[in-house]
Amino acid sequence: MSYPREGTGLLLVDPYNDFLSEGGKLNGLAKPVAEAVGTLDNLRKVLAAVRKAGIQVFYVPHHRARPNDFRTWKHPSPYQLGASRAQVFAAGSWGGEWHPDFQPTEQDVMVQEHWGASGFANTDLDYQLKQHGVQRVILVGMLANTCIESTGRFAAELGYHVTLVTDATAAFSPEAMRAAHELNGPTYAHVIFTTEELLAAIA
């Protein structure tokens, strides 16, 4: 397995303070799994390795919440309504800022915010990937069984080669992590690696 610089993109999904920083609105829910698998350290390793290799980084951010986002919507999902009530990743708030260790650089591509779980639906992600000649995507970030899985499935449907990294993500329960990687991941992902396996392949 190889990841050529010109044809590979790293999709860094939702590296917000609300997920990854102590005191974030969702950090407490994700923390047990994140600490068990070493999510933060592994995200740091992956990001450093792909930047060293010259692989393009794409930030794939969730919509930053604003009051009354869904007030006039016909069919907001329960998940969206719950996030709206909690104002998760609220626009202009600390929770809606990037974790300090995952600040974008001028070379990174900032994709439009996604309203649901998929980084592709109603955004420019597919267009950005095509414009950068990307055929293989590596997915890391949050959460394994929601935005990572939905984005990865969509990528596979669009014809991209998909790599999941089991310990560079997290979920709110061990059961959700197992479902994302052991049950659902093999139905669409081409490769399911640990961070160390990915680093070896990139090197």
Side-chain angles (χ1 to χ4, degrees):
M1 191 62 239
S2 63
Y3 293 89
R5 178 174 64 86
E6 295 297 334
T8 304
L10 177 76
L11 306 188
L12 179 55
V13 181
D14 298 345
Y16 287 126
N17 281 322
D18 266 348
F19 266 142
L20 299 176
S21 293
E22 195 72 35
K25 291 179 180 178
L26 300 178
N27 180 254
L29 292 171
K31 190 174 182 178
V33 170
E35 289 188 343
V37 302
T39 302
L40 275 174
D41 282 342
N42 290 325
L43 283 172
R44 295 183 187 106
K45 291 176 183 177
V46 170
L47 189 58
V50 299
R51 285 192 167 143
K52 182 178 180 180
I55 292 171
Q56 183 67 59
V57 177
F58 297 81
Y59 275 66
V60 183
H62 198 280
H63 172 71
R64 290 175 169 90
R66 293 174 174 80
N68 300 317
D69 269 336
F70 305 107
R71 183 173 57 85
T72 58
W73 279 38
K74 299 296 183 185
H75 307 292
S77 71
Y79 204 75
Q80 288 172 320
L81 292 175
S84 182
R85 283 192 294 271
Q87 287 293 284
V88 177
F89 324 129
S93 75
W94 170 83
E97 295 175 356
W98 311 119
H99 182 283
D101 293 343
F102 309 113
Q103 297 293 320
T105 70
E106 290 184 0
Q107 289 73 41
D108 298 335
V109 175
M110 192 64 58
V111 175
Q112 293 170 345
E113 296 178 0
H114 51 271
W115 285 88
S118 172
F120 284 95
N122 306 305
T123 76
D124 61 344
L125 178 54
D126 182 49
Y127 189 64
Q128 290 280 14
L129 292 173
K130 286 183 168 67
Q131 288 294 332
H132 289 84
V134 172
Q135 299 178 12
R136 298 173 182 267
V137 293
I138 303 165
L139 282 90
V140 298
M142 304 293 278
L143 289 164
N145 61 311
T146 56
C147 292
I148 295 294
E149 180 171 332
S150 185
T151 302
R153 284 186 180 278
F154 210 130
E157 296 286 350
L158 291 172
Y160 292 97
H161 181 281
V162 177
T163 296
L164 302 178
V165 188
T166 59
D167 51 5
T169 182
F172 292 159
S173 70
E175 293 80 8
M177 283 286 276
R178 178 177 177 272
H181 299 129
E182 296 181 28
L183 303 180
N184 298 339
T187 69
Y188 67 90
H190 302 84
V191 177
I192 302 177
F193 270 163
T194 65
T195 292
E196 292 307 313
E197 289 169 333
L198 177 67
L199 298 185
I202 291 174

